[in-house]
């Protein structure tokens, strides 16, 4: 049942009770005593305390369970003025070290002037019975934090920042927040705060910063490079950056060029001259340089095998009743003798069979092996096919939940993994930052086996690591090409290879595992997809709509985008029912029984496996779960992610979306018994060969394309690979050249 909305209004009152407060996001549930009523209020209300006077802007809503309440969009705070309000405020625990008894003594001593004295002359606290100079110093320190935070939040709020953005700014700069923002408002554009350049620019210009200020030009330049990280680029051509900064600022080219030169000199930007000059932010430059140097050093390691490798392969063939083809034997040999191997190839070419042989023989040689993949589903799949424990890369490296706000791992150069060999599956999904962290967590003498399909889509995060490693020519690589007879009987496999070779898939055959259903309109496609998931496939194949069937789509928007398809599928599979609880989020309504997708890495979510002592932290981008229970009174949802159960507060629902349909990008690293792919209309730039190939190879038993043959053929013809500007290939080749020159010099 949706929440009814009313016009935006303003109310004033005193905080009577803080029912709930999330210290990370600022989301709160409070009760405010107005002149007319005791009003329940929800919204981002960071740091409010009982006894405070608030001016709230928002709208009245009617909740199906909690009734009438006020949803605050913004708020202003005024310190409590009367002695009674001050006493309540201090008694609430707003100031660490002051409890109810001490609050009463302070107010008895200073009366209505209490807040003025605490802010302007806190040293007078020693006049209060029971407060020693040492105790006063501790309270003064806490008061400084409190008044500073409130001043910063009010300052930022005046410029339109949300409470959540204000919280992030205070966490980063603390007492110097106001000074830092006044000095350089473009600092707000950083990843930690996340304010858009346009908003920071408005603040800067309103504060009198010159239009051609170096801070403004560098703010725009950094914004351009950061924004393009989201598009997968670790760097951009200097000429492109200059043009985009000109468009953002209106400043002449010469001034921008001069500022960039100064930033390069100060190492605030980094420049690389490839076929043309490219600019990097320091983090991406450092990451790609580190990867290149570290791999170049690893490649110098040599491994000696105790027995004849040919005989070892012959023996394992006899034991398993397998006959390895020549490239598989080459891959096994390379894995045993080299410090690093990339094993790549399409579906049905025997990557898994080859990997299992490699793992068996490495273990025979006495090596301890760690196996990992980028996502939980990918790790589960590689665990199933190898018969060995596999983890996500994050779990392998162990997220360090220390005081730092940026992601860090327990395993690094100072505390490397103990494994002699590390195997990473679904390597195409690994981005630059994660691969850097992986290498930092491996011992220098560790062997690295990277397995993946470079024809699939690149990682969601910046970089094109697997493709760059292969294209550099510096890393031992074996590409398996032969499709084995059993796999060749699958039309999924055959058509996948046709697609990647630039040939049209066979859309006419109807007696196998690959089907095409022609439809003449987007509405007809959507209706057919819904019918297949809800009725036809469960009836014909016994597939579970939640566990076995996955709808994949190239786009997020439009009639065949994620949002529209999820709306139709939710209505068919999990409609509202009496007794079935639901929560209406900003973009979706979530019901008990819904299939949901986590859309960002969250390292702070605690999970457990019921009936098992296993517990852990972290739910990651791409994890799919099912809502088990919604607690409306407690404001939480219990979600099961493949046996890992955890609780989400309602304000965390912004990290979730319905998952009956997901984008092809989000499906990377996963396999499903049945995949349904709507292909019709849409945006040309989203319909290309790699995306079609990735979608087709996600299906294990059944693939159904619904839509237009012409659109399928256009996707095959569009071989616009996901072009990404990166430096890794260049850095690898440079490092290899330097290493060779050093060898030649030593030999000379």
């Amino acid at each position: 049942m949706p929440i009814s909305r009313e016009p935006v209004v303003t109310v004033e009152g005193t905080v009577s009770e803080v029912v709930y407060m999330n210290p990370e996001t600022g989301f709160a549930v409070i009760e405010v005593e107005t002149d007319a009523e005791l009003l329940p209020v929800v919204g981002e209300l960071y740091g409010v305390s009982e006894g405070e006077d608030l001016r709230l802007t928002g709208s009245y809503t009617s909740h199906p369970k909690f009734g009438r309440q006020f949803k605050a969009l913004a708020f202003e705070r005024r310190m409590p003025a009367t002695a009674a309000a001050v006493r309540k405020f201090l008694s609430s625990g707003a100031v660490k070290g002051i409890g109810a008894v001490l609050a009463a003594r302070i107010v008895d001593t200073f009366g209505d002037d209490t807040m003025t004295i605490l802010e302007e002359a806190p040293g007078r606290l020693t006049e209060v019975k029971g407060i020693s100079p040492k105790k006063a110093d501790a309270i003064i320190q806490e008061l400084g934090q409190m008044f500073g935070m409130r001043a910063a939040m009010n300052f930022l709020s005046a410029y339109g920042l949300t409470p959540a953005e204000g919280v992030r700014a205070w966490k980063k700069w603390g007492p110097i927040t106001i000074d830092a923002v006044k000095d350089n408002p473009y600092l707000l554009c950083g990843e930690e705060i996340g304010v858009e350049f346009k908003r920071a620019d408005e603040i800067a210009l309103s504060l009198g910063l010159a239009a051609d200020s170096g801070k403004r030009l560098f703010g725009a330049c950094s914004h351009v490079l950061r924004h393009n990280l989201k598009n997968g680029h670790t760097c951009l051509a200097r000429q492109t950056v200059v043009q985009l900064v000109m468009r953002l600022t209106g400043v002449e080219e010469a001034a921008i060029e001069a500022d960039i030169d100064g930033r390069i000199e100060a190492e605030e930007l980094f420049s690389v001259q490839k076929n043309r000059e490219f600019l990097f932010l320091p983090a991406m430059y450092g990451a790609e340089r580190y990867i290149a140097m570290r791999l170049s050093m690893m490649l110098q390691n040599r491994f000696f095998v105790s027995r004849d490798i040919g005989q070892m392969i012959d023996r394992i063939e006899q034991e398993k009743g397998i006959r390895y083809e020549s490239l598989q034997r080459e891959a096994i040999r390379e894995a045993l003798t080299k410090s690093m191997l990339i094993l790549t190839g399409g579906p049905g070419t025997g990557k898994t069979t080859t990997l299992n042989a490699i793992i068996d023989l490495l273990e025979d040689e006495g090596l301890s092996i760690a196996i990992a993949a980028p996502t939980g589903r990918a790790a589960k799949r590689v665990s199933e096919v190898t018969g060995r424990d596999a983890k996500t890369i994050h779990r392998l490296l162990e997220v360090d939940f220390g005081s730092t706000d940026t992601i860090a791992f327990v395993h690094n150069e100072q505390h490397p993994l103990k494994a002699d060999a590390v195997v990473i599956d679904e390597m195409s999904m690994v981005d630059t930052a994660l691969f850097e962290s992986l290498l930092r967590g491996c011992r220098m003498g560790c062997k690295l086996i990277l397995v993946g399909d470079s024809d699939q889509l690149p990682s969601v995060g910046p970089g094109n690591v697997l493709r760059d490693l292969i294209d550099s020519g510096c890393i031992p690589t074996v590409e398996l090409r032969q499709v084995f007879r059993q796999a060749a009987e699958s039309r999924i496999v055959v058509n996948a290879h046709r697609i990647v070779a630039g040939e049209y898939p066979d859309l006419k055959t109807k007696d196998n595992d690959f089907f095409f259903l022609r439809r003449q309109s987007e509405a007809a496609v959507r209706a057919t997809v819904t019918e297949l998931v809800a009725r036809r496939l469960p009836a014909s194949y016994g597939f579970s709509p939640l566990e076995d069937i996955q709808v994949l789509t190239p786009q997020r928007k439009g009639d065949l985008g994620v949002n529209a398809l999820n709306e139709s599928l939710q209505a068919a599979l999990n409609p509202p029912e009496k007794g079935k609880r639901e929560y209406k989020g900003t973009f979706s309504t979530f019901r008990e029984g819904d299939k949901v997708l986590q859309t960002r890495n969250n390292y702070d979510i605690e999970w457990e496996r019921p009936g098992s002592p296993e517990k852990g932290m972290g739910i990651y981008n791409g994890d799919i779960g099912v809502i088990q229970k919604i607690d409306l009174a407690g404001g939480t949802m219990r979600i099961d992610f493949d046996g890992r159960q955890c609780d989400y507060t309602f304000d965390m629902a912004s990290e979730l979306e319905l998952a009956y349909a997901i984008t092809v990008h989000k499906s990377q690293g996963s396999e499903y018994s049945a995949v349904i792919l709507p292909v019709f209309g849409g945006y040309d730039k989203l319909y290309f060969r790699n995306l079609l190939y990735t979608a087709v190879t996600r299906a294990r038993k059944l693939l159904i394309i619904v839509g237009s043959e012409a659109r399928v053929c256009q996707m095959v013809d569009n071989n616009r690979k996901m072009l990404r500007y990166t430096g890794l290939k260049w850095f690898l080749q440079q490092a290899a050249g330097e290493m060779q020159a050093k060898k030649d010099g030593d030999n000379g």
Side-chain angles (χ1 to χ4, degrees):
M1 178 178 174
I3 297 174
S4 62
R5 301 190 180 278
E6 297 183 16
V8 173
V9 296
T10 299
V11 298
E12 296 183 0
T14 303
V15 180
S16 174
E17 182 181 357
V18 177
V19 180
Y20 169 79
M21 170 72 70
N22 184 313
E24 294 296 318
T25 65
F27 178 83
V29 179
I30 65 175
E31 290 188 345
V32 174
E33 189 173 339
T34 71
D35 291 338
E37 62 182 325
L38 188 63
L39 181 65
V41 178
V42 299
E44 291 182 349
L45 304 162
Y46 185 82
V48 299
S49 301
E50 294 170 8
E52 280 193 274
D53 291 331
L54 300 181
R55 179 183 174 88
L56 301 151
T57 301
S59 58
Y60 288 96
T61 63
S62 179
H63 194 281
K65 183 175 180 67
F66 302 118
R68 186 169 177 270
Q69 57 185 210
F70 190 82
K71 183 172 178 60
L73 302 175
F75 75 100
E76 300 172 40
R77 62 190 349 141
R78 294 185 295 276
M79 284 297 170
T82 68
V86 171
R87 179 176 298 175
K88 184 166 188 177
F89 170 70
L90 293 178
S91 298
S92 71
V95 181
K96 187 178 177 182
I98 299 180
V101 173
L102 196 54
R105 289 181 189 165
I106 294 171
V107 173
D108 288 345
T109 303
F110 302 123
D112 290 346
D113 295 330
T114 299
M115 293 307 296
T116 302
I117 289 170
L118 291 181
E119 186 170 6
E120 298 176 3
R124 289 186 59 189
L125 280 168
T126 53
E127 298 174 20
V128 179
K129 182 181 178 182
I131 298 183
S132 65
K134 184 177 180 181
K135 175 80 170 175
D137 287 342
I139 294 174
I140 289 169
Q141 189 172 350
E142 289 295 323
L143 287 169
Q145 283 282 99
M146 182 190 74
F147 285 117
M149 180 192 72
R150 288 164 191 270
M153 296 290 283
N154 286 334
F155 170 79
L156 296 173
S157 175
Y159 286 102
L161 268 70
T162 67
E165 290 166 340
V167 170
R168 293 195 289 271
W170 178 260
K171 283 186 175 181
K172 182 170 178 62
W173 296 303
I176 65 167
T177 297
I178 295 176
D179 290 337
V181 173
K182 281 184 176 179
D183 179 64
N184 187 359
Y186 299 100
L187 295 174
L188 295 169
C189 295
E191 187 177 347
E192 303 97 325
I193 317 301
V195 172
E196 281 295 314
F197 174 81
K198 183 179 179 181
R199 290 169 61 203
D201 200 35
E202 290 170 352
I203 296 171
L205 296 177
S206 72
L207 288 170
L209 204 68
D212 61 352
S213 160
K215 291 172 183 175
R216 185 169 187 245
L217 298 183
F218 183 53
C221 180
S222 300
H223 164 74
V224 166
L225 291 169
R226 269 195 309 271
H227 177 78
N228 278 279
L229 291 176
K230 299 174 186 175
N231 297 325
H233 307 301
T234 62
C235 59
L236 281 182
R238 176 170 176 153
Q239 184 180 12
T240 301
V241 174
V242 170
Q243 293 301 313
L244 291 171
V245 172
M246 286 175 64
R247 192 180 305 170
L248 281 171
T249 63
V251 175
E252 292 183 358
E253 183 175 350
I256 297 169
E257 293 278 11
D259 189 73
I260 288 175
D261 287 337
R263 303 298 173 176
I264 293 171
E265 181 71 24
E267 296 190 345
E268 294 173 295
L269 292 174
F270 287 85
S271 166
V272 164
Q273 188 73 44
K274 299 194 282 181
N275 57 332
R276 49 189 168 145
E277 186 179 4
F278 284 81
L279 297 178
F280 294 75
L281 290 169
M284 282 295 106
Y285 178 83
E288 290 195 321
R289 284 262 299 173
Y290 176 84
I291 291 169
M293 291 187 291
R294 180 65 187 270
L295 293 182
S296 295
M297 295 172 67
M298 288 177 66
L299 288 169
Q300 306 309 306
N301 296 334
R302 290 292 177 265
F303 289 83
F304 301 95
V305 181
S306 61
R307 292 161 285 173
D308 181 271
I309 295 176
Q311 291 180 4
M312 294 168 68
I313 298 174
D314 292 342
R315 175 180 59 77
I316 204 166
E317 280 183 332
Q318 290 181 338
E319 290 177 358
K320 294 183 177 292
I322 294 173
R323 187 75 176 171
Y324 300 113
E325 54 97 13
S326 59
L327 282 174
Q328 288 180 302
R329 293 179 73 93
E330 179 187 340
I332 297 168
R333 182 179 297 275
E334 290 281 285
L336 289 173
T337 58
K338 300 287 178 62
S339 59
M340 186 175 177
L341 172 71
I342 296 174
L343 176 63
T344 187
T349 56
K351 289 198 303 292
T352 298
T353 303
T354 307
L355 177 60
N356 280 331
I358 290 170
I359 293 172
D360 286 342
L361 293 177
L362 288 176
E363 288 179 339
D364 286 349
E365 286 293 296
L367 274 66
S368 60
I369 301 174
I371 305 173
T375 67
R377 284 180 170 250
K380 183 178 179 181
R381 189 187 63 79
V382 73
S383 181
E384 289 168 352
V385 299
T386 62
R388 295 166 173 84
D389 181 46
K391 301 177 179 178
T392 63
I393 298 174
H394 288 85
R395 285 191 66 202
L396 177 69
L397 297 176
E398 298 181 50
V399 177
D400 184 0
F401 298 98
S403 58
T404 177
D405 289 334
T406 57
I407 180 64
F409 294 100
V410 170
H411 293 290
N412 50 36
E413 295 99 329
Q414 287 72 43
H415 185 209
L417 296 163
K418 294 181 180 179
D420 300 313
V422 172
V423 174
I424 303 297
D425 196 21
E426 295 290 353
M427 185 62 200
S428 64
M429 298 178 65
V430 178
D431 63 34
T432 300
L434 186 56
F435 193 53
E436 177 196 14
S437 295
L438 176 71
L439 292 179
R440 291 186 184 277
C442 292
R443 294 187 296 108
M444 281 303 299
C446 181
K447 186 187 290 284
L448 200 58
I449 311 293
L450 307 178
V451 185
D453 184 347
S454 59
D455 289 315
Q456 289 185 21
L457 294 170
S459 58
V460 174
N464 202 356
V465 175
L466 180 60
R467 185 77 264 166
D468 284 349
L469 294 179
I470 294 171
D471 289 349
S472 73
C474 301
I475 312 298
T477 301
V478 176
E479 180 182 0
L480 303 178
R481 302 187 186 94
Q482 179 180 328
V483 179
F484 288 90
R485 188 180 67 183
Q486 184 177 358
E489 295 173 0
S490 164
R491 302 306 296 171
I492 293 174
V493 172
V494 170
N495 281 324
H497 284 275
R498 289 176 67 90
I499 290 166
V500 86
E503 302 172 14
Y504 299 145
D506 175 10
L507 301 180
K508 294 185 173 68
T509 303
K510 302 290 186 184
D511 60 352
N512 205 280
D513 54 4
F514 187 110
F515 295 90
F516 173 76
L517 301 180
R518 183 186 300 108
R519 295 295 183 268
Q520 302 297 328
S521 68
E522 290 185 332
V525 172
R526 186 169 161 182
T528 299
V529 168
T530 303
E531 184 184 3
L532 285 167
V533 177
R535 287 179 289 278
R536 289 170 60 176
L537 295 190
S540 299
Y541 295 89
F543 288 148
S544 162
L546 289 185
E547 297 177 9
D548 301 322
I549 305 172
Q550 185 61 59
V551 177
L552 304 181
T553 177
Q555 60 196 67
R556 295 196 60 82
K557 298 178 181 178
D559 286 345
L560 296 178
V562 166
N563 299 331
L565 286 168
N566 273 317
E567 184 179 316
S568 294
L569 290 164
Q570 184 191 43
L573 295 169
N574 194 28
E577 294 177 8
K578 186 176 181 181
K580 183 185 290 183
R581 286 162 293 199
E582 64 179 48
Y583 166 70
K584 185 174 179 62
T586 306
F587 301 108
S588 301
T589 295
F590 298 103
R591 296 191 187 105
E592 292 174 334
D594 270 337
K595 184 177 180 180
V596 292
L597 173 81
Q598 174 74 10
T599 60
R600 59 178 287 266
N601 290 339
N602 189 324
Y603 307 101
D604 299 326
I605 297 177
E606 297 182 43
W607 56 262
E608 61 182 6
R609 291 190 187 274
S612 164
E614 186 182 0
K615 295 183 178 181
M617 299 284 287
I619 299 294
Y620 303 113
N621 187 1
D623 285 353
I624 290 179
V626 176
I627 299 176
Q628 303 290 306
K629 180 183 178 182
I630 295 178
D631 181 354
L632 293 172
T636 62
M637 293 186 283
R638 184 76 169 173
I639 305 177
D640 185 294
F641 291 93
D642 283 330
R644 294 172 298 152
Q645 293 193 3
C646 51
D647 291 317
Y648 278 59
T649 58
F650 285 168
D651 56 300
M652 293 164 62
S654 61
E655 299 179 12
L656 297 170
E657 59 186 41
L658 295 173
Y660 301 106
I662 64 174
T663 62
V664 178
H665 286 82
K666 291 288 188 183
S667 74
Q668 287 176 267
S670 299
E671 283 188 348
Y672 313 95
S673 295
V675 166
I676 301 171
L677 177 67
V679 177
F680 192 100
Y683 308 102
D684 287 346
K685 67 179 183 179
L686 296 177
Y687 284 73
F688 51 92
R689 188 185 300 174
N690 296 63
L691 188 136
L692 178 61
Y693 174 74
T694 300
V696 168
T697 54
R698 299 307 90 205
R700 192 163 55 241
K701 297 179 181 178
L702 180 68
L703 176 85
I704 301 177
I705 298 178
V706 184
S708 160
E709 301 106 313
R711 200 49 157 155
V712 173
C713 294
Q714 287 169 4
M715 292 182 79
V716 175
D717 291 338
N718 182 6
N719 194 27
R720 181 188 68 84
K721 296 216 179 218
M722 292 291 287
L723 174 64
R724 292 192 167 187
Y725 296 112
T726 66
L728 182 55
K729 173 184 170 182
W730 188 86
F731 287 132
L732 282 164
Q733 291 171 339
Q734 292 294 307
E738 292 170 7
M739 197 69 71
Q740 188 59 49
K742 184 176 185 302
K743 278 186 180 179
D744 294 342
D746 292 342
N747 292 335

